[in-house]
Amino acid sequence: MAKVSAGAAGEVLAARFLREKGYTITAANVHSRFGEIDIIAENAQYIAFVEVKTRSENALYTPREAVTYQKQRKVIGTAALYLQQHPTTRQPRFDVIEIVTAKGQPMKVVEIDHIMGAYETEGLHAAF
């Protein structure tokens, strides 16, 4: 049996979580010359560009700490290109879903936190 990576498991768990909260998953693993967006999800008001970070419960730092300034720039650049190709009237938002899983069990959630509006585009104009 193939071993499931923490990252792949986290993205499946995050998509499931978003659907349960009423979001529609529009796209996943969207790549551009700038980088990648893990999940693009929409509800009635927002189009959310979601970065998913997963760590084991004994990790030295929280998953959200891995969403660095450089990673934010990559997501914002990719989101800008996506919005050029897929216009919408929904408000863009940049979210982080952090997932903590049981040690050695990447599909067993200990904690999940949806950080809506985790970062803004201000000051990141160089991404464009």
Side-chain angles (χ1 to χ4, degrees), residues 27-49:
N29 300 312
V30 175
H31 294 268
S32 79
R33 68 180 185 262
F34 294 112
E36 178 195 10
I37 298 172
D38 292 331
I39 297 173
I40 300 174
E42 297 182 46
N43 66 13
Q45 186 176 1
Y46 293 99
I47 180 167
F49 299 96

Side-chain angles (χ1 to χ4, degrees), residues 2-13 16 54-56 99-110:
K3 186 174 181 178
V4 177
S5 75
E11 290 179 20
V12 168
L13 293 165
R16 184 181 304 158
T54 308
R55 298 288 182 269
S56 175
I99 301 172
V100 178
T101 60
K103 187 173 183 175
Q105 299 180 57
M107 291 301 290
K108 185 175 181 187
V109 175
V110 172

Side-chain angles (χ1 to χ4, degrees), residues 81-118:
L81 288 177
Y82 182 87
L83 289 170
Q84 287 176 355
Q85 297 166 357
H86 305 89
T88 181
T89 59
R90 291 177 173 86
Q91 175 68 40
R93 189 178 71 201
F94 297 92
D95 295 359
V96 173
I97 293 183
E98 66 173 2
I99 301 172
V100 178
T101 60
K103 187 173 183 175
Q105 299 180 57
M107 291 301 290
K108 185 175 181 187
V109 175
V110 172
E111 183 180 346
I112 188 165
D113 190 13
H114 183 188
I115 307 162
M116 295 179 272

